[in-house]
Amino acid sequence: MTRFGRTVPLLGLSLLSAAVLSACGGGGDDDDSTSPPPVTTPVSVSLEKVGSYESGVFLKSAAEIPAFDAASKRGFVVNAQKGALDVLDMSQPAAPRLIGQIDATAVRAGASVNSVAVQGGLVAVAVQDAVKTNPGLVAIYRAADLSLVGQVAVGALPDMLTFTPDGKTLLVANEGEPSDDYQIDPEGSISVIDVSDPAKPVARVADFSAFNGQNASLLAQGVRIFGPGASVAQDLEPEYIAVAPDGKTAWASLQENNALAEIDIVTARVKRIVPLGYKDHGLAENALDFADNDGENPAIHITTAPGLYGMYQPDAIAAYQAGDGNTYIVSANEGDARAWGEGTPAYFGDGAGGVGDPSKGFVEEWRIKHLVHKDGFLRRADDDLPAHLAGLAKGALLNPSVFAWCGAVAGNPGDCRADDQLGRLKVTWTLGYQTHADGSPRLFNQDGVADPAGDRLMYDRLYTYGGRSISIWDANGQQVWDSGSAIESFLASADCKLGAARNVPCADHFNTGHDETAQLDARSSAKGPEPEGLTVGRLGDKTLAFIGLERMGGVLVYDITNPRAPMRMDYLNTRENWTQAFSEDEAPDAAALSRLGDLGPEGLHFIAPKDSPTGEPLLMVGNEVSGTTAVYRLKLTY
């Protein structure tokens, strides 16, 4: 580990010459023209932490997205706190050492780095403009000497980027988020960049303009198009890209829209938008813990909730080819709400108990107990009442034919509002209420009777964020497998242990947060363990997925060789202090932060044995809360 810029080795690394692991999907490391020798497929895989670089910076996203160059043995880590790219010497993975920096302001004043991808000795960097709604750029550097090779303009807020397997094309997701006050909303897009001559990259734009005017059709299919006044192209916000092994097709996760976009790389065209559907939490296999009870009498209670649905809303996705010859997409179903202007008081009220100004933002997330209170919405004016919701009605009800299980009756949500029931769960108010054919809300009176003169919405369904799961989808975007309740159930079980020594029961800190004291059940009313980062690699005949749990922390390893029957292989969480009190207001110093270990895994990068400095497979993990870049080795059992 490092402390105050010094690097302290953890464990020595032994060579593992029998293993060969190659990256799957786009954005891999240097290609080797020599085919590796045949290898034996391991029976099991587990993780062991062997090294760490510590920035000493807490909760400032000082370590987000990692990448690695095999020839120079250098790691590249997005440091959002600096707005730059940290360069690490990883010739000794047990002791990664900071040796340089790529500063985005050298190519554009006030700019910052969002993401990185490395292939063939080139380092591609997504650069955000100082004004995030302005077009950004992609800059290309040489890994060996950090010299700038070329650059090209792309769309607004370029983020995740990845190479095609042959290294000749680079794709970047231009998220196009609106300004915080929602006054400017650029279009989302995917830039397809020819980097066959990296000194003169040429970008084409795969945009969504062809879908403008198809709002009604997309909504009917299940694509969330809901930004106020936004065209389809403005509303769609590409988050992450996965490239097919043949390099001809890519998919972009449209996280807030709960959909995937399929992209033809050859023509730089978005072929279609595929809705991902909703997860029925009324089914036993999709049970969840939806109540945190606000810190009072916290408990693990994984159960069903009829009428509650999860929006998958994946963040990271990856593509791989299975044994049947077909391409599949694996997704980390984090979930994400739109919350623009949440720090703007005028959006939530006029200061005198009235409705806020909808032109000052857009916030879709609200707790159920506020949404369906018998006294209506205005009781939350000047607090957290979204102005757009206040413009729809004066209150909302739960349909008793759906929510009787938690106590709802006509005109009264009953105990469904209780903190130990659905009350504290965060949902979107934009979905689930009854509407007329034209999409306008069907209104009810306070007794729950349909009445054109009424002022209440009637919710038949409630939609929460994320699937608390990983999923596998076929090339057409149809789900072939989902982990259901398996992640939360495992974290609640006696089999799950925390810490590098694996000696702390996970159940003692189930669904904890990543930026404060580890409080049992703290995140159950939000998105639970929050699977976010993901990378995929191949080991012999096995395909492995590595998933970072943003809130609970740690990395899950799944064998996804059979896309219809994945198996969990390991879980390692190297947060070490689970009792110390800390918060954003009282950040730990570098020494205390070192003792805390790794918090908030954001990005993961797999290093194949042929590219590894030690000849064994490694995993890099950027932890945004602790500001650490952790290095793990894969321990293989045959």
Side-chain angles (χ1 to χ4, degrees):
M1 292 184 288
T2 60
R3 189 173 298 168
F4 306 110
R6 295 187 296 111
T7 302
V8 182
L10 290 178
L11 297 173
L13 294 177
S14 61
L15 292 178
L16 192 58
S17 58
V20 173
L21 186 58
S22 59
C24 293
D29 294 310
D30 295 356
D31 290 330
D32 189 342
S33 59
T34 303
S35 298
V39 296
T40 303
T41 301
V43 174
S44 65
V45 176
S46 62
L47 297 174
E48 177 186 14
K49 183 176 178 180
V50 293
S52 180
Y53 169 72
E54 298 178 6
S55 68
V57 179
F58 174 72
L59 205 58
K60 300 294 183 182
S61 296
E64 290 191 332
I65 309 301
F68 178 76
D69 174 63
S72 64
K73 298 180 176 60
R74 289 178 167 182
F76 299 86
V77 183
V78 173
N79 185 329
Q81 186 257 344
K82 296 178 182 176
L85 197 65
D86 284 343
V87 183
L88 307 180
D89 177 357
M90 289 190 51
S91 57
Q92 298 182 54
R97 180 172 58 92
L98 181 68
I99 58 171
Q101 179 178 292
I102 292 177
D103 187 351
T105 61
V107 293
R108 181 175 294 183
S112 57
V113 172
N114 279 340
S115 192
V116 61
V118 175
Q119 187 155 314
L122 297 178
V123 181
V125 179
V127 179
Q128 172 185 326
D129 190 81
V131 178
K132 75 170 185 176
T133 53
N134 288 343
L137 61 89
V138 168
I140 301 173
Y141 299 83
R142 293 206 183 281
D145 60 11
L146 308 186
S147 61
L148 178 65
V149 178
Q151 58 181 290
V152 64
V154 294
L157 197 62
D159 201 340
M160 190 272 173
L161 70 174
T162 185
F163 286 92
T164 53
D166 63 7
K168 295 180 180 179
T169 304
L170 181 67
L171 291 89
V172 60
N174 304 308
E175 194 165 3
E177 287 180 352
S179 57
D180 288 344
D181 60 5
Y182 227 107
Q183 300 304 297
I184 303 172
D185 189 3
E187 294 184 355
S189 64
I190 296 94
S191 291
V192 181
I193 307 171
D194 181 349
V195 290
S196 53
D197 181 357
K200 298 178 181 178
V202 177
R204 294 173 293 161
V205 180
D207 62 26
F208 298 100
S209 59
F211 299 92
N212 285 339
Q214 298 183 29
N215 303 54
S217 173
L218 291 168
L219 284 167
Q221 295 173 52
V223 180
R224 298 188 72 211
I225 306 294
F226 63 104
S231 67
V232 172
Q234 289 174 308
D235 203 74
L236 299 177
E237 298 178 1
E239 183 79 22
Y240 212 93
I241 300 172
V243 177
D246 65 7
K248 296 179 180 179
T249 302
W251 295 267
S253 59
L254 307 173
Q255 187 172 26
E256 291 83 356
N257 311 98
N258 196 36
L260 293 176
E262 182 182 341
I263 303 118
D264 185 319
I265 296 175
V266 176
T267 62
R269 181 177 65 90
V270 178
K271 294 174 63 176
R272 56 179 171 167
I273 301 168
V274 182
L276 296 180
Y278 303 101
K279 185 169 183 171
D280 185 352
H281 288 299
L283 301 177
E285 61 266 30
N286 295 332
L288 77 168
D289 188 332
F290 51 74
D292 67 5
N293 210 14
D294 199 18
E296 298 180 9
N297 303 315
I300 301 173
H301 186 51
I302 299 173
T303 187
T304 56
L308 180 66
Y309 291 79
M311 300 176 285
Y312 291 99
Q313 297 185 307
D315 186 327
I317 58 175
Y320 73 103
Q321 188 176 58
D324 60 9
N326 295 316
T327 296
Y328 294 89
I329 304 154
V330 56
S331 66
N333 303 322
E334 177 200 21
D336 197 19
R338 283 182 173 158
W340 306 112
E342 58 183 339
T344 305
Y347 178 73
F348 296 102
D350 60 7
V355 174
D357 183 350
S359 72
K360 300 299 183 183
F362 178 73
V363 177
E364 64 158 318
E365 184 180 70
W366 223 24
R367 295 192 190 275
I368 292 173
K369 68 178 183 179
H370 302 325
L371 180 64
V372 297
H373 195 281
K374 62 181 179 60
D375 294 335
F377 299 151
L378 282 178
R379 61 184 290 273
R380 304 295 296 184
D382 296 325
D383 189 343
D384 60 357
L385 171 61
H388 291 88
L389 174 60
L392 281 180
K394 292 185 178 180
L397 303 168
L398 293 179
N399 189 333
S401 67
V402 178
F403 294 98
W405 63 269
C406 56
V409 295
N412 190 339
D415 288 341
C416 296
R417 287 190 61 257
D419 284 354
D420 61 355
Q421 289 291 330
L422 290 171
R424 287 184 50 79
L425 183 64
K426 294 179 179 179
V427 296
T428 179
W429 54 261
T430 66
L431 287 175
Y433 57 82
Q434 292 185 23
T435 63
H436 296 293
D438 63 359
S440 61
R442 186 183 181 206
L443 296 176
F444 290 72
N445 63 29
Q446 295 184 37
D447 295 325
V449 178
D451 183 351
D455 58 10
R456 295 291 192 269
L457 305 175
M458 177 65 75
Y459 281 85
D460 296 333
R461 292 184 171 192
L462 296 167
Y463 291 86
T464 191
Y465 299 95
R468 307 190 183 196
S469 64
I470 60 171
S471 295
I472 296 181
W473 317 82
D474 66 19
N476 295 315
Q478 299 302 304
Q479 189 179 92
V480 298
W481 176 84
D482 182 76
S483 63
S485 62
I487 293 178
E488 281 192 306
S489 295
F490 170 67
L491 294 174
S493 74
D495 293 333
C496 182
K497 304 295 183 182
L498 303 168
R502 305 178 189 247
N503 58 357
V504 177
C506 296
D508 290 352
H509 306 287
F510 173 82
N511 276 357
T512 188
H514 63 359
D515 57 358
E516 58 186 356
T517 307
Q519 296 180 355
L520 173 68
D521 214 26
R523 297 295 302 176
S524 292
S525 66
K527 294 179 283 188
E530 219 161 308
E532 180 185 19
L534 179 147
T535 192
V536 169
R538 189 173 176 86
L539 176 60
D541 293 332
K542 284 189 188 298
T543 300
L544 305 174
F546 305 87
I547 305 100
L549 302 182
E550 183 181 13
R551 298 291 177 162
M552 183 70 187
V555 177
L556 283 164
V557 184
Y558 267 80
D559 177 356
I560 58 170
T561 307
N562 180 347
R564 289 173 172 78
M567 297 181 293
R568 188 187 73 252
M569 302 196 78
D570 195 27
Y571 172 66
L572 180 61
N573 187 324
T574 48
R575 177 175 180 171
E576 298 299 344
N577 192 315
W578 294 86
T579 58
Q580 179 178 345
F582 62 92
S583 68
E584 185 175 7
D585 297 328
E586 297 180 2
D589 60 25
L593 185 56
S594 178
R595 292 191 294 271
L596 281 173
D598 303 304
L599 294 85
E602 176 76 10
L604 300 89
H605 182 77
F606 189 72
I607 303 174
K610 68 183 180 64
D611 298 323
S612 169
T614 62
E616 61 186 341
L618 302 173
L619 182 72
M620 294 175 67
V621 179
N623 297 283
E624 61 176 343
V625 174
S626 56
T628 54
T629 302
V631 182
Y632 302 87
R633 75 179 181 100
L634 270 67
K635 299 168 62 179
L636 311 178
T637 302
Y638 292 94

